[in-house]
Amino acid sequence: MASPSSVTVMSGLALEVAVNRWLKPAFEAASPYRLEIDWRPTTAIMKSIAEGQRADVVIAINGAMDKLCADGIVRPETRVCLADSILGVGVREGAPKPDVSTVEAFKRTLVAARAVAYSRAGASGIYFTGLVERLGIAAEVNARAVTIPMGFTGEKVASGEADIAIQQVSELMSVPGVAVAGPFPPEVQTVSTFDAAIFADAANAEGAAAWMALLASLSAAKAYGDGGLVSRLAHS
C-alpha cells in the first residue's frame, strides 16, 4: 500500500520520457510527495481499472478517459488534455536510418527489414496490425515479426533481435541505444491524445492535485515537446 507521502499514478507509456526525465524529478524536489507510477498501455490500465484497481491519478488515451468520466471513476472536472503522440520507426543507434518519408518508402522499409518489433497490447501495435493488412504487406512483415505483449519495442532493436521497432515516437525515445528514424508518413499516421484526471476515490487527493498542477504547467508543455510529444495545453 502506498504511504501518505506518495502519489500513485497509472499512466500510458507515451509520457515516460517527459515524466521520468523532467517532471518527476521536479515534482519530488518541490513537494513532500513521491511518485509511484505504473507504466502500461492504456488497454492494460483499463483492464486493471475494470477489475477494481485504483490510484490517485490516471493518464490515458482520451477515448478511454471519456469512459472513465462517464462511469464516474475519475472526477471529470479535474480532466486535463496534455499532449498528442504520433507513431514512428526506431532503429539501433548508429545504424543507417531507413527512408519512411512516403507510404511506398515506408512499405519498402518494412518488407526489407530482417525483423520488425511491435507490441500486441499497445495502441501502436493494434493500429500497426491493421495498417500492414491495409497496405497488403501483412504476410511479409509478420513472417519475421518480433512481438511483445506490452512494454517498449525499442528494447528488441537495442538487443539486436529486430532492426525496426514500431511504437509511438516518445516511447522509442525511452530506450537507450535506439534512434528515431522518423514518424509514419502523414497518409498513414495516427494521433493518440493523452489526458489526465484524478480518481474519484483518490487516497491522496491533495498530492494528486499538486501533481496535476505540474502536468498542466508551462514547464510540462516543454517537457512534452522535448519528450517526443506535441503539447495540447491551452497556454503552451
Side-chain angles (χ1 to χ4, degrees), residues 36-215:
E36 295 183 12
I37 307 176
D38 177 5
W39 294 107
R40 283 183 292 160
T42 292
T43 50
I45 289 172
M46 292 297 284
K47 182 175 185 294
S48 293
I49 290 174
E51 294 168 351
Q53 185 176 336
R54 296 291 185 269
D56 295 315
V57 172
V58 60
I59 302 172
I61 291 172
N62 60 357
M65 193 66 80
D66 289 342
K67 178 169 173 52
L68 296 177
C69 288
D71 292 347
I73 293 171
V74 300
R75 291 163 47 198
E77 74 277 9
T78 67
R79 182 177 182 176
V80 178
C81 184
L82 302 180
D84 288 339
S85 180
I86 61 173
L87 298 183
V89 174
V91 296
R92 196 168 188 173
E93 202 165 58
K97 292 184 178 180
D99 183 5
V100 292
S101 60
T102 67
V103 174
E104 286 307 311
F106 179 68
K107 287 170 63 175
R108 285 194 299 271
T109 291
L110 293 176
V111 171
R114 175 177 54 86
V116 177
Y118 66 93
S119 165
R120 291 189 182 277
S124 60
I126 293 168
Y127 175 79
F128 182 69
T129 299
L131 176 60
V132 292
E133 289 281 357
R134 294 195 301 275
L135 294 177
I137 57 172
E140 296 96 320
V141 171
N142 287 322
R144 303 183 303 279
V146 176
T147 59
I148 60 174
M150 65 175 72
F152 295 112
T153 62
E155 291 174 354
K156 297 299 182 182
V157 167
S159 69
E161 295 171 71
D163 48 5
I164 294 287
I166 301 296
Q167 207 156 37
Q168 301 191 55
V169 168
S170 60
E171 294 173 13
L172 295 171
M173 291 175 63
S174 292
V175 183
V178 173
V180 178
F184 280 23
E187 298 89 342
V188 295
Q189 183 61 266
T190 185
V191 178
S192 297
T193 301
F194 284 83
D195 294 358
I198 297 175
F199 278 95
D201 51 359
N204 186 352
E206 184 177 329
W211 173 233
M212 288 288 294
L214 179 57
L215 287 175

